[in-house]
Amino acid sequence: MAEAVDVEPGVRLDPTERVDLLLRDLRSSRSGLTTREAQRRLVHAGPNELRRRGGLKWPGELAQQFTHPLALLLWAAAGLAWAVGIEPVAIAIVVVIVINAAFAFVQEQHAEKAVEALAAYLPMRAKVLRDGRASEVEAIELVPGDVLVIEEGDRVSADARLLDGGIEVDLSALTGESMPAFRSADLVDSRVPLLHARDLVFSGTTCTEGEARAVVFATGMHTELGRIAALSERVKKDDSPLETQVRRVAWLIALISVLLGAAFIPVATLGAGLSFLNAVIFAVGLLVGNVPEGLLPVITLALAIGVRGLARRGAVVKRLSAVETLGSTDVICTDKTGTLTENRMRVTIISTATGSSAPDRASPGDVPLAHLAIAMAACNNARLDDPGGAVGDPTEIALLNASAELGVQVDPDDRQRRRRRQFHFDPARKRMSTIDEDTDGQIRVHTKGAPEAVLPRCTHELDAGGHPRPLTPQRRTALDELVDAQAQRGLRVLAVAERDLATGENIPEDHEQAERDLVLLGTTAMIDPPRAEVPDAVVNCHEAGIRIIVITGDHGLTATAIAAQVGITRDEPVVVTDDQLDQMNENDLDKLLRETTELIFARSSPEAKLRIADALRDAGHVVAMTGDGANDAPALRRADIGVAMGRSGTDVAREASTMVLTDDNFATITEAIQAGRQVYDNIRKFIVYIFAHATPEVTPFLVFALSGGAIPLPLSVLQLLAFDVGTETLPALALGREPAEPGLMRRPPRKRSEPVVTAPMLLRAWLFLGVIAAVLAMAGFCYVLLTAGWRPGAPTAPGTPLHHAYLQATTMTFLGMVAGQIGTAFAARTEHASLRSIGALSNPLLLWGIAFELLLTVAIIYLPPLQELLGTAALTPDMLAFVLPYPVIVWGADELRRWLLRRRKHRFTEDANRGRPVECQ
């Protein structure tokens, strides 16, 4: 049974009742609402959006911060300390766990809000009738009583009753049925469940074919989709591949730490002669020192910041993990129209049997031209509203403008009244047809499309007198030459034809019956100039080792001309048509993609896009694929990065994509790839920064254990915790905001299989930066003790003469680690380039983080309450002077290492360019 639906508070209606009664109940009409009335209803009905009604989720999310693998490792250290009676250390570790959990929770909440806020960059649009004419509004502003204009590729944004027309709708989001269902205003159902009513469409579904108008009867949470959303809000968040990799590394570190700690307890007690208590202190320090506490939340936040930055540049990335994928993209499969070009079509030449001319210079008595102008206006779904404003496909808008210039009335309501049937544009057929009735009652087929798709179906051509004459082979050859000549100039060419239905002939039921024995009216040539910023973006792609393949529905010569103008092709590219592609087997296609550098797929179908994406991915490439049509959805889903057009793209394409270009601009793809590389680089920078501290954190405990206690513990566990929590996190966050290194887009793309944490990174962090920082920290410790007269084995416990010197020595170790940490932060800012090339002061966030770090360190060293809590002591000027060069030493050593690597790479490149045999050592 049909259910009554709440429209406004206190108002209920039956959407399956007679249309006139439904319109009465909705206080609407077939021409829609006025803008003022729609705004008033929006206040009463509320925004057309799904609201979260679930209970509080933050307690569970906060609890998860206490149970992830790195937190569990700290819990184990706290339990171990408590078990042997070191309660202050155990309490301190628990405090660290709480602080880390709170910090991570705040960061992840910020990251989640950052991603949710992307909806503001990409509002869903809907076509409605307002004030008697078609216009586009944000879907969130739809209200009951609005009349929707639904076309192929549109996402239905509210529950609505069809008023006229018929469409096929993908209902899988609501019913699970994979096959589209036909919905028509003529199929009136009553006393059936709403989802089964064949004259209703629902929010969240998509139109796959046809065109219709429908009156909205439910929005927001009152829709069928809203009812489902209210029942099920349990959405599980999946980790990105990057987070999964880092989590595995964290588990590996945790396992190594546990094994080392467990192994060193017997070694320290039996071999080194330490007491069991001291051995446990060592094990606790080892566990705490190896835990990169802030790693996971910092990565999540860095990805979210990258996503927000991309959105401001015009690239809305819908998944955090896509930022990682962008950094390794090595092939871009791009459309031409609207992506490489401005998507502002303008008819420049119209050619008929009487000759060629511009629309504004046409002869008023040209009969074929008059027929062609009428056909362009009839076989069209665009609308010209106010002067300079239009709604519809850019190609159809250009044709409609040309018809208006030629004196044809282009009233969309009159066109709709005369239309008897439409066979929508099909990328496979490459043509569109309508069946219309003229003012004299004559029923006529109007067809437009690609010349190679229309001309073979034409048997005649309209001559100067308005009479059909047979199309001779010579005339067909001349037409082919005309099309090729115009396409070589970068013009897009369409052919237009018609056929009168004989008296008594039934209106054709399918396009095959309609599109036969056509009479050619002429061709139109349109220009769509390349975007000014695309050539520079193409140069950047080539320098970055990114290959660009053009896949377009346009003529091969047109695509070749545009590709040459923007620099995608330099020589003669290989042009493959859809028919040629169909004749290739998989091996032939693989060979073509592998061996052909400059490649253009012309007159391509959406199925061709899918096949090309599959072939490239199977070859190991990371593929970005652009698309805007509903039929492009499979290819967009299959590509690593599906790129949909935000302005001209269909809702289906936008939903299937990974990234949406709000400006439909190819240059934005390049910027997104650069940003993806930058974010990935920054993640690796703070991984190096965090991991580099493991060595100096563990070294004091190793020195203590391996000396058998002859050397007192150079750093207490509480001081280690203060170092980990207090001084490390803010600089790590700042490294996630580093500007791009010079030459970022001149590097080859990262391989798909390359992990985020590589062996060279670990060697640099643990065995280079870490070792230098550890040696410097221990040098400071020894300097203080030896200056005070200490010798190995001398007592330093409370009450002994050397106890104050020992406190100063551990404080010196702490300060030395902080100083080394500052040097590591500057060293980690670049992986290849020198610090001078990016500017030592170019990251103000890092400078503020270091300033906070130094202030906290001063407080720990000189404030009595913190001295008593952490076991520190005030340092003398000579001790501070001893530590002063530490940051420069750490950074300088790494700067020298990077200089040697750059020099070696430069020599290797020079030798390779000279053609000498070289060997990479």
Side-chain angles (χ1 to χ4, degrees):
M1 295 289 292
E3 304 172 33
V5 176
D6 293 319
V7 182
E8 294 185 21
V11 179
R12 293 175 68 81
L13 53 84
D14 178 6
T16 63
E17 64 183 340
R18 287 202 338 254
V19 169
D20 56 340
L21 297 179
L22 180 62
L23 289 171
R24 181 202 64 188
D25 293 342
L26 287 167
R27 301 191 304 282
S28 184
S29 67
R30 291 179 179 270
S31 60
L33 303 173
T34 65
T35 300
R36 180 179 298 177
E37 174 64 14
Q39 291 173 347
R40 187 195 69 79
R41 294 191 183 193
L42 186 62
V43 175
H44 288 280
N48 178 35
E49 62 181 355
L50 300 183
R51 296 184 296 274
R52 301 179 71 174
R53 292 183 176 180
L56 292 175
K57 294 184 177 180
W58 68 263
E61 294 173 350
L62 180 58
Q64 290 178 2
Q65 303 299 335
F66 292 93
T67 56
H68 67 76
L70 302 180
L72 292 176
L73 195 61
L74 290 177
W75 282 116
L80 191 61
W82 188 273
V84 297
I86 325 174
E87 288 86 356
V89 172
I91 293 172
I93 294 176
V94 172
V95 171
V96 168
I97 295 172
V98 172
I99 293 174
N100 276 334
F103 184 69
F105 173 73
V106 170
Q107 289 187 63
E108 291 198 358
Q109 291 298 303
H110 176 71
E112 183 177 344
K113 287 184 175 64
V115 178
E116 287 179 352
L118 294 179
Y121 291 96
L122 192 64
M124 193 65 68
R125 309 287 293 179
K127 290 186 279 290
V128 297
L129 297 182
R130 292 268 176 93
D131 301 317
R133 64 174 183 267
S135 60
E136 283 197 1
V137 300
E138 292 188 15
I140 197 173
E141 297 177 358
L142 288 178
V143 295
D146 264 327
V147 173
L148 289 173
V149 179
I150 305 172
E151 299 171 343
E152 177 190 354
D154 286 349
R155 181 182 184 272
V156 181
S157 301
D159 290 1
R161 166 80 173 270
L162 295 180
L163 298 176
D164 58 55
I167 55 177
E168 285 193 352
V169 184
D170 179 3
L171 295 171
S172 58
L174 295 176
T175 65
E177 295 289 337
S178 58
M179 293 298 293
F182 184 68
R183 294 288 185 263
S184 172
D186 299 330
L187 302 175
V188 179
D189 286 324
S190 60
R191 305 181 66 82
V192 298
L194 288 185
L195 288 177
H196 294 170
R198 294 174 295 169
D199 54 350
L200 301 184
V201 291
F202 301 95
S203 177
T205 62
T206 52
C207 172
T208 59
E209 184 174 336
E211 181 180 2
R213 298 189 188 190
V215 61
V216 173
F217 63 81
T219 60
M221 297 302 291
H222 297 291
T223 63
E224 290 299 305
L225 189 64
R227 298 179 195 277
I228 295 173
L231 294 174
S232 57
E233 281 198 312
R234 298 180 295 273
V235 180
K236 184 179 179 182
K237 177 189 171 186
D238 294 327
D239 287 339
S240 71
L242 178 63
E243 290 171 316
T244 301
Q245 286 186 46
V246 174
R247 192 176 293 273
R248 288 174 182 167
V249 172
W251 272 113
L252 179 62
I253 292 172
L255 179 62
I256 293 173
S257 301
V258 170
L259 292 177
L260 283 176
F264 263 87
I265 287 179
V267 171
T269 54
L270 300 177
L274 290 180
S275 67
F276 180 73
L277 179 61
N278 285 337
V280 171
I281 292 175
F282 162 75
V284 170
L286 199 62
L287 289 177
V288 174
N290 273 299
V291 174
E293 296 90 347
L295 190 56
L296 295 177
V298 166
I299 285 178
T300 303
L301 186 62
L303 290 174
I305 290 171
V307 166
R308 288 294 297 272
L310 285 173
R312 286 192 290 270
R313 301 183 192 185
V316 179
V317 179
K318 295 156 66 176
R319 294 197 311 268
L320 283 181
S321 60
V323 178
E324 172 201 5
T325 310
L326 277 167
S328 56
T329 299
D330 64 341
V331 177
I332 300 175
C333 296
T334 180
D335 197 356
K336 178 187 73 67
T337 304
T339 310
L340 301 178
T341 61
E342 295 180 357
N343 204 18
R344 290 190 301 165
M345 307 294 289
R346 181 170 57 87
V347 176
T348 57
I349 302 174
I350 296 179
S351 302
T352 65
T354 59
S356 299
S357 66
D360 56 351
R361 297 181 182 177
S363 171
D366 193 323
V367 177
L369 189 61
H371 278 251
L372 186 144
I374 293 172
M376 287 192 300
C379 188
N380 201 311
N381 287 322
R383 296 168 179 267
L384 301 181
D385 295 334
D386 300 326
V391 177
D393 178 80
T395 299
E396 294 199 330
I397 292 173
L399 295 176
L400 211 55
N401 278 320
S403 295
E405 283 187 77
L406 293 170
V408 175
Q409 294 295 324
V410 291
D411 180 15
D413 294 326
D414 181 64
R415 178 181 63 199
Q416 196 65 33
R417 285 192 297 270
R418 296 179 182 281
R419 182 171 294 178
R420 297 294 173 263
R421 184 152 293 159
Q422 172 183 324
F423 304 106
H424 66 87
F425 177 80
D426 187 336
R429 296 189 300 118
K430 301 182 181 65
R431 56 184 180 271
M432 168 191 175
S433 295
T434 58
I435 301 176
D436 309 286
E437 182 178 353
D438 67 14
T439 54
D440 298 329
Q442 174 65 51
I443 306 297
R444 183 172 291 126
V445 177
H446 292 118
T447 299
K448 74 171 189 291
E452 65 270 25
V454 175
L455 290 178
R457 294 184 170 269
C458 295
T459 57
H460 293 74
E461 181 181 21
L462 202 66
D463 64 16
H467 305 292
R469 68 182 183 193
L471 264 178
T472 63
Q474 294 80 4
R475 178 57 179 162
R476 290 183 185 275
T477 301
L479 287 170
D480 290 340
E481 291 174 351
L482 173 68
V483 169
D484 288 348
Q486 292 176 338
Q488 285 176 341
R489 294 165 53 193
L491 301 176
R492 184 179 186 187
V493 185
L494 295 180
V496 184
E498 67 178 19
R499 177 170 75 87
D500 290 347
L501 297 186
T503 304
E505 182 180 351
N506 293 329
I507 293 178
E509 295 291 335
D510 60 55
H511 61 83
E512 288 295 336
Q513 296 177 11
E515 298 165 349
R516 61 178 178 82
D517 302 327
L518 297 174
V519 176
L520 178 67
L521 302 177
T523 62
T524 64
M526 291 169 275
I527 187 170
D528 184 13
R531 292 179 181 268
E533 59 272 29
V534 169
D536 289 340
V538 169
V539 170
N540 289 337
C541 284
H542 287 159
E543 289 181 345
I546 300 171
R547 181 184 182 191
I548 303 174
I549 299 175
V550 178
I551 307 177
T552 179
D554 256 351
H555 193 287
L557 294 175
T558 304
T560 300
I562 295 297
Q565 290 177 37
V566 299
I568 292 177
T569 58
R570 300 183 182 91
D571 301 319
E572 286 294 325
V574 174
V575 179
V576 180
T577 64
D578 203 37
D579 292 337
Q580 294 171 329
L581 183 62
D582 287 340
Q583 296 173 9
M584 293 183 183
N585 58 35
E586 300 307 319
N587 291 333
D588 293 337
L589 178 59
D590 292 343
K591 182 179 179 182
L592 176 71
L593 293 170
R594 183 174 61 252
E595 297 181 357
T596 307
T597 305
E598 298 184 352
L599 191 57
I600 293 175
F601 291 92
R603 296 303 191 197
S604 295
S605 64
E607 292 76 16
K609 281 189 172 184
L610 180 60
R611 188 180 173 196
I612 294 166
D614 278 336
L616 289 168
R617 281 173 55 87
D618 288 345
H621 295 288
V622 179
V623 182
M625 172 78 71
T626 68
D628 55 9
N631 289 333
D632 289 330
L636 293 176
R637 288 194 182 96
R638 190 67 56 87
D640 297 280
I641 298 289
V643 183
M645 304 298 113
R647 292 179 179 174
S648 61
T650 61
D651 293 336
V652 178
R654 299 203 303 180
E655 289 179 356
S657 66
T658 312
M659 182 171 75
V660 180
L661 304 182
T662 57
D663 56 2
D664 292 9
N665 192 344
F666 177 86
T668 307
I669 303 176
T670 309
E671 290 185 9
I673 291 175
Q674 178 173 343
R677 290 188 176 191
Q678 179 181 341
V679 169
Y680 195 82
D681 264 13
N682 289 346
I683 289 172
R684 298 177 74 151
K685 287 172 185 177
F686 64 68
I687 286 176
V688 168
Y689 171 78
I690 290 175
F691 279 25
H693 303 149
T695 304
E697 289 177 5
V698 169
T699 299
F701 298 93
L702 288 175
V703 170
F704 169 66
L706 296 178
S707 70
I711 299 176
L713 189 63
L715 187 75
S716 71
V717 175
L718 290 177
Q719 290 168 350
L720 175 60
L721 291 172
F723 176 79
D724 268 341
V725 178
T727 65
E728 182 178 84
T729 306
L730 288 182
L733 281 174
L735 286 172
R737 303 294 297 271
E738 272 293 318
E741 281 192 43
L744 179 67
M745 289 298 283
R746 289 193 291 273
R747 298 185 212 155
R750 176 174 53 86
K751 293 182 179 178
R752 181 195 293 270
S753 58
E754 182 181 332
V756 64
V757 180
T758 61
M761 287 173 58
L762 294 180
L763 290 174
R764 181 189 178 196
W766 285 340
L767 300 183
F768 187 76
L769 293 169
V771 166
I772 294 173
V775 169
L776 291 175
M778 294 311 302
F781 174 78
C782 294
Y783 167 76
V784 173
L785 278 184
L786 292 174
T787 302
W790 172 86
R791 294 295 178 267
T796 58
T800 63
L802 291 174
H803 179 64
H804 181 71
Y806 169 68
L807 294 180
Q808 286 183 314
T810 60
T811 306
M812 191 71 164
T813 306
F814 175 81
L815 179 60
M817 289 171 59
V818 171
Q821 188 180 57
I822 294 172
T824 301
F826 280 102
R829 289 190 61 195
T830 63
E831 186 177 354
H832 307 282
S834 66
L835 183 61
R836 186 180 65 176
S837 65
I838 64 171
L841 306 179
S842 59
N843 188 346
L845 287 176
L846 180 62
L847 300 179
W848 282 110
I850 290 173
F852 173 81
E853 184 178 13
L854 290 174
L855 286 174
L856 182 61
T857 302
V858 170
I860 290 173
I861 294 175
Y862 292 104
L863 291 183
L866 293 179
Q867 288 177 341
E868 185 176 350
L869 175 65
L870 300 176
T872 58
L875 300 180
T876 59
D878 67 298
M879 297 175 188
L880 296 178
F882 190 87
V883 176
L884 195 61
Y886 280 15
V888 177
I889 294 173
V890 175
W891 161 77
D894 194 69
E895 188 79 11
L896 178 62
R897 181 193 66 86
R898 282 180 276 117
W899 178 77
L900 292 173
L901 289 176
R902 291 196 304 272
R903 184 182 180 192
R904 177 183 173 192
K905 181 179 179 181
H906 180 69
R907 285 182 175 177
F908 180 84
T909 304
E910 283 187 340
D911 289 343
N913 290 337
R914 293 192 193 104
R916 298 198 317 221
V918 294
E919 181 179 355
C920 186
Q921 299 296 322

